[in-house]
Amino acid sequence: CAMPAKARAHVRQQGVAAVELALLMPVLLLIFLGIAGMSRLYYLQMALVSAARAGVQFAPAGQTQDTARIAAAARRDALHDAPGMAMPDVAIRQRCADGSPYAGNGKCPGYASAPWTYVEVRTSYVLADAGYPLLPGFAAPLRLQHSATARLR
C-alpha cells in the first residue's frame, strides 16, 4: 500500500515547516525578550524622570529648601512606578547669574548682587534582576538615573 506522490510531498512539506519553526523559535524568543526588557527599562527611566521633576517642582511650590521634604516628594511620586527606588539625592546650590558658583561673600562677579538658588534632584534605581544578563550589552545590576534642576529665586 504505497502512498501517492502528492501525499508524500505534503508530508515532506510539513516536516520542512517543523524544522524551520524549530530553527527560528529561539531567535524569535530572544527578540521578544529583548523588546520586553527594553520596554521595562524605558518605563523605569520615565518613572525616574517624573520623580526628579516632581521633587524639583515641590521646592518652589512649597517655598522650601528642606532637602528631606524635597526628596520625600520625589520618592512619593516614584513609589507607585518604581517601588524599590532609593531615596533621591537632593542638592541645594547657589550660583551667580553668569553660572559661576557662589562664594558666600554676599556678592557675585559682574553686576549681580545676589546669587540665584538652584535645587537639583537626582533619582536612581538599581535593577538587579537575574533576567537582564540575557540582554546582550547589559550587565546586572543595571543602574538607571536622572537629574532635574530648577531655579528657586
Side-chain angles (χ1 to χ4, degrees), residues 68-129:
R69 287 180 60 201
I70 295 169
R75 190 157 192 267
R76 262 193 318 273
D77 184 80
L79 274 179
H80 68 283
D81 292 332
M85 190 179 99
M87 187 59 90
D89 297 327
V90 178
I92 305 290
R93 295 194 187 121
Q94 291 186 320
R95 296 204 174 268
C96 297
D98 63 355
S100 63
Y102 176 60
N105 58 3
K107 294 193 175 201
C108 284
Y111 60 89
S113 60
W116 291 338
T117 302
Y118 291 89
V119 61
E120 181 180 14
V121 178
R122 292 180 185 262
T123 55
S124 65
Y125 184 84
V126 177
L127 193 63
D129 288 344

